[in-house]
Amino acid sequence: MAAVLPSDVFSESQLDPALVKIADKVRRNERITDEDAILLFEKGSLSFVGSLANSIRERLHGDTTYFNRNFHIEPTNVCVYSCHFCSYSRVYAHRDEGWELSQQQMMDIVKSYDGKPVTEVHVVGGVHPKMNLEFFAELMRSIKGHRPDLHIKGFTAVELDYMFRKAKKTVEEGMAYLHEAGLDSLPGGGAEIFHPEIREQICADKIDGTGWLHIHETAHKLGMNTNATMLYGHIENYSHRVDHMSRLRALQDKTGGFNTFIPLKFRNQQNDMSHIKESTVIEDMRMYAIARIYMDNFPHLKAYWPMLGRHNAQLTLSFGVNDIDGTIDDTTKIYSMAGSEEQTPSMNTAQLVTLIKQARRKPVERGTLYNVIRDYSELDVKEIETNPLLN
Ligand code: V47
Ligand code: SF4
């Protein structure tokens, strides 16, 4: 698909002059300011921001759309924290209503993928007071001992902060220890909204924004890549979103260690914030588009389909997104419990490839660090379905 520049689509005489200036910056490949981003949120129509974002996406990646083959391990949903948006966790006193996996049970999950072409395990869960640094270092060693080539993307900054403090280690010491044990990279969770005005209302008791950024910076210094998320569409306003993205963009300027930015749509089922209406699909697409325009130093923008639903994730491919995460294989509960359309999130390779091809994009399987594993654009879906190495 050829990149369509905004000037081809809009009659600029009808546009707010400030929006025209932003379009010019994008055309010249210049960074937009925080004020520009707020203006885009306030005044940029879906087609305006979408066309700008699409031109950036096509400049960076052409039609390439990445996915990976992965599964999750969620060691527990017992959590010492009580984030109001969380539908998933159970307090320690009610742990009988939740789950706590043993090392053996987690290794059984890993072993159930023996012979299957997955490349990544994503380990994420609640913050359990008894699952400590040593417990997780042992898990890392066992996974690597069993399957050394499996990339371990694990633990939000929230989980890491708790386990390092409990083990009386500095962030530097704790991170180096887990990395040595086998942890390869960090997922982007726990970021929510950094601004204290919002963070104190939705997740006051866990690590603050500065602490989250410090943990990711430390990982980057050790040569590990990480992701970053933002939980949007609840009580925050546009300036809180821009503040959040601005802190991430500044850290990325410093370290270059982030791979992908993942806006996460707030889902409102079975949590303390259920009275808040969810964002509309139009607002979701505008969010992705503005993220692509503003986060100029993030190579990738991901739509996480188990949370957004596969059809809306497909739509984001026209609004700046170039990655839709992975096969998942029904191994995560965070989003089904929060009311996502995806109650048993699982897509095989053929389904992911079809989803991407229907959007007229080029499906490419990647490793966690965006190394290309296979280009599926020329492969027929039947061929994928019948080849056990491909599906
Ligand atoms: O930090 C919790 C979010 C995150 C809700 O890095 C909710 O590749 C919406 O970060 N509505 C954890 N979101 C998951 C995460 C993630 C997922 C997939 C890929 C990657 C990656 C990271 O889930 C939490 C929180 O922001 N979350 N509850 C909810 N009701
Ligand atoms: Fe615990 Fe994470 Fe849920 Fe917060 S979002 S309560 S830290 S599991």
Side-chain angles (χ1 to χ4, degrees):
M1 204 180 279
V4 178
L5 285 176
S7 57
D8 304 328
V9 175
F10 298 99
S11 158
E12 292 187 348
S13 58
Q14 293 167 8
L15 277 179
D16 181 323
L19 289 177
V20 174
K21 275 196 184 151
I22 297 175
D24 283 340
K25 284 187 185 175
V26 171
R27 216 173 282 138
R28 291 195 301 266
N29 202 5
E30 271 173 29
R31 173 167 280 191
I32 68 162
T33 64
D34 292 5
E35 293 70 35
D36 292 337
I38 288 175
L39 195 84
L40 287 177
F41 275 122
E42 284 172 349
K43 296 199 174 159
S45 66
L46 176 65
S47 55
F48 180 76
V49 297
S51 132
L52 289 180
N54 193 48
S55 69
I56 297 170
R57 183 259 205 243
E58 292 186 355
R59 186 169 71 215
L60 292 175
H61 304 290
D63 284 332
T64 296
T65 301
Y66 294 104
F67 68 94
N68 74 349
R69 294 201 262 189
N70 62 351
F71 64 99
H72 286 221
I73 294 179
E74 295 181 350
T76 184
N77 67 340
V78 173
C79 192
V80 299
Y81 297 120
S82 33
C83 306
H84 294 305
F85 53 80
C86 184
S87 321
Y88 160 87
S89 63
R90 296 292 176 268
V91 293
Y92 190 66
H94 291 169
R95 63 188 184 282
D96 50 320
E97 295 166 14
W99 67 86
E100 300 162 301
L101 301 185
S102 65
Q103 298 277 344
Q104 187 58 52
Q105 286 170 315
M106 291 190 271
M107 282 312 294
D108 287 345
I109 297 175
V110 174
K111 287 175 187 166
S112 70
Y113 288 90
D114 283 358
K116 295 188 185 164
V118 290
T119 58
E120 173 192 282
V121 56
H122 180 166
V123 184
V124 65
V127 178
H128 192 294
K130 302 226 161 110
M131 291 182 178
N132 59 19
L133 180 63
E134 207 39 58
F135 178 86
F136 286 119
E138 189 187 330
L139 178 68
M140 301 293 98
R141 286 185 210 108
S142 307
I143 296 175
K144 287 291 181 184
H146 183 72
R147 194 162 172 174
D149 58 331
L150 192 64
H151 182 108
I152 309 179
K153 180 176 79 178
F155 312 117
T156 63
V158 178
E159 295 164 272
L160 295 171
D161 166 63
Y162 186 85
M163 67 176 101
F164 296 163
R165 283 191 290 114
K166 213 152 184 203
K168 299 201 169 19
K169 298 239 190 253
T170 63
V171 173
E172 288 73 11
E173 290 163 352
M175 193 75 73
Y177 186 65
L178 278 184
H179 187 37
E180 175 69 28
L183 179 66
D184 294 301
S185 67
L186 308 188
E192 325 311 0
I193 289 283
F194 293 144
H195 199 296
E197 232 167 63
I198 300 300
R199 203 168 183 88
E200 278 159 18
Q201 293 183 65
I202 64 172
C203 54
D205 52 357
K206 71 185 185 188
I207 189 173
D208 65 10
T210 309
W212 189 99
L213 290 162
H214 176 59
I215 289 198
H216 281 253
E217 182 170 1
T218 306
H220 297 169
K221 281 185 185 152
L222 286 172
M224 299 162 77
N225 284 111
T226 76
N227 292 336
T229 58
M230 174 171 76
L231 182 69
Y232 73 91
H234 43 92
I235 59 167
E236 87 290 0
N237 64 32
Y238 294 146
S239 68
H240 298 122
R241 293 186 194 180
V242 175
D243 173 78
H244 188 91
M245 293 194 291
S246 159
R247 295 188 206 206
L248 290 170
R249 194 169 78 168
L251 179 55
Q252 179 74 334
D253 277 343
K254 202 165 153 193
T255 65
F258 287 114
N259 264 336
T260 183
F261 181 54
I262 314 162
L264 293 172
K265 174 194 175 96
F266 165 66
R267 308 304 311 241
N268 70 1
Q269 296 296 294
Q270 300 182 71
N271 57 46
D272 300 344
M273 289 163 63
S274 291
H275 56 287
I276 296 169
K277 267 175 80 176
E278 289 183 356
S279 52
T280 63
V281 176
I282 290 179
E283 191 55 20
D284 295 334
M285 298 306 134
R286 276 166 33 84
M287 178 67 240
Y288 282 97
I290 296 168
R292 183 59 286 172
I293 298 166
Y294 182 85
M295 304 291 265
D296 61 343
N297 55 3
F298 272 64
H300 305 285
L301 181 68
K302 184 195 282 191
Y304 185 54
W305 67 265
M307 176 269 296
L308 205 54
R310 64 190 72 185
H311 299 298
N312 289 338
Q314 187 182 43
L315 203 54
T316 64
L317 302 183
S318 300
F319 293 90
V321 167
N322 68 296
D323 183 359
I324 53 170
D325 204 82
T327 41
I328 314 285
D329 208 18
D330 196 16
T331 48
T332 177
K333 294 202 166 40
I334 301 179
Y335 298 101
S336 51
M337 289 170 87
S340 169
E341 299 70 16
E342 301 289 349
Q343 284 298 299
T344 51
S346 181
M347 272 206 268
N348 62 28
T349 311
Q351 287 172 307
L352 273 167
V353 165
T354 304
L355 199 77
I356 295 168
K357 281 189 174 176
Q358 281 170 345
R360 309 263 166 108
R361 300 294 193 187
K362 185 171 119 182
V364 173
E365 183 189 347
R366 61 162 175 85
T368 308
L369 305 179
Y370 292 84
N371 49 306
V372 171
I373 295 180
R374 187 175 283 109
D375 181 344
Y376 282 79
S377 44
E378 302 302 326
L379 279 173
D380 186 67
V381 169
K382 282 257 163 340
E383 212 176 320
I384 303 171
E385 274 169 350
T386 50
N387 184 340
L389 279 181
L390 298 181
N391 215 15

